[in-house]
Amino acid sequence: MLPGMEFQDVVRRRRMVRAYDPDRPVPAEVRDRLLSNALHAPSAGFSQGWAFLVLEEAGDRDRFWAVTSGPDEPPDAWLRGMRAAPLLVVALSHRDAYLERYAEPDKGWADRNEARWPVPYWHIDTGFASLLILLTAVDAGLGACFFGIPPERIDPFRDAFGVPPAHTPVGVISLGYRAPDRPSPSLRRGRRPLTDVVHHGRW
Ligand SMILES: Cc1cc2nc3c(=O)[nH]c(=O)nc-3n(C[C@H](O)[C@H](O)[C@H](O)COP(=O)(O)O)c2cc1C
């Protein structure tokens, strides 16, 4: 049996962590487990139209923060905490992998028409894979946070890292050993109760 936590504890303990110990890198074997587990996410037609850009060299991480947050802005508390993360994983979705996969004979959507996809499963599946990274981080004793790249920073991000146009960054996962942080003010909203969210039998 592999070391790790009870599944229920992993789920209940997961929360976004926005400050990290800058002096404690993520061991290579833990990094590899985070990424291998991501590949066990489900995907429509087993298309697996995802990709992960791993940034762990200080220079690469600095470049990421410079192009996504603006090199001239003084870092706020959020950025100071996040910049300490020794590992960043950018999760990217690849729409064309789905259009191609579903053009195969067993699926039969040879027109490659995006209108057949009212919900873009390439983004969904990349999100599923990202959640597996977040849960694996908890299991491995790491903190992690999923966050977005601001829209006006997407092209600078692409240019800086040579990301092909067909790949869309869905989000970024910062990872590392936790430092004390302040919970997000969003949490004051409280978790919605089951009775609000779940509709039994009929809406
Ligand atoms: C799609 C998505 C985007 C998010 N973007 C950000 C972000 O840009 N910055 C951030 O600090 N947290 C971000 N979060 C984290 C949420 O604020 C967090 O999940 C939520 O407040 C619930 O807290 P918990 O995950 O710690 O339980 C994001 C989460 C998701 C799922």
Side-chain angles (χ1 to χ4, degrees), residues 78-189:
W78 183 90
L79 192 53
R80 284 197 301 275
M82 294 291 276
R83 280 194 80 126
L87 174 62
L88 299 170
V89 176
V90 185
L92 304 108
S93 67
H94 187 203
R95 182 202 61 178
D96 295 350
Y98 289 74
L99 301 186
E100 290 305 319
R101 166 70 187 97
Y102 276 71
E104 288 176 23
D106 62 326
K107 299 292 185 188
W109 292 354
D111 57 8
R112 294 173 175 74
N113 182 358
E114 207 178 325
R116 292 184 181 275
W117 300 83
V119 175
Y121 282 163
W122 37 97
H123 300 323
I124 306 268
D125 295 349
T126 304
F128 285 151
S130 300
L131 180 59
L132 283 178
I133 293 179
L134 295 174
L135 294 177
T136 304
V138 176
D139 194 50
L142 295 173
C145 183
F146 183 97
F147 62 98
I149 299 177
E152 71 280 9
R153 302 286 182 187
I154 301 234
D155 283 341
F157 160 75
R158 282 184 189 291
D159 293 345
F161 294 99
V163 174
H167 283 76
T168 303
V170 166
V172 189
I173 305 159
S174 53
L175 293 138
Y177 292 93
R178 297 169 63 153
D181 71 340
R182 287 198 319 179
S184 159
S186 300
L187 295 175
R188 286 192 215 117
R189 300 162 54 85

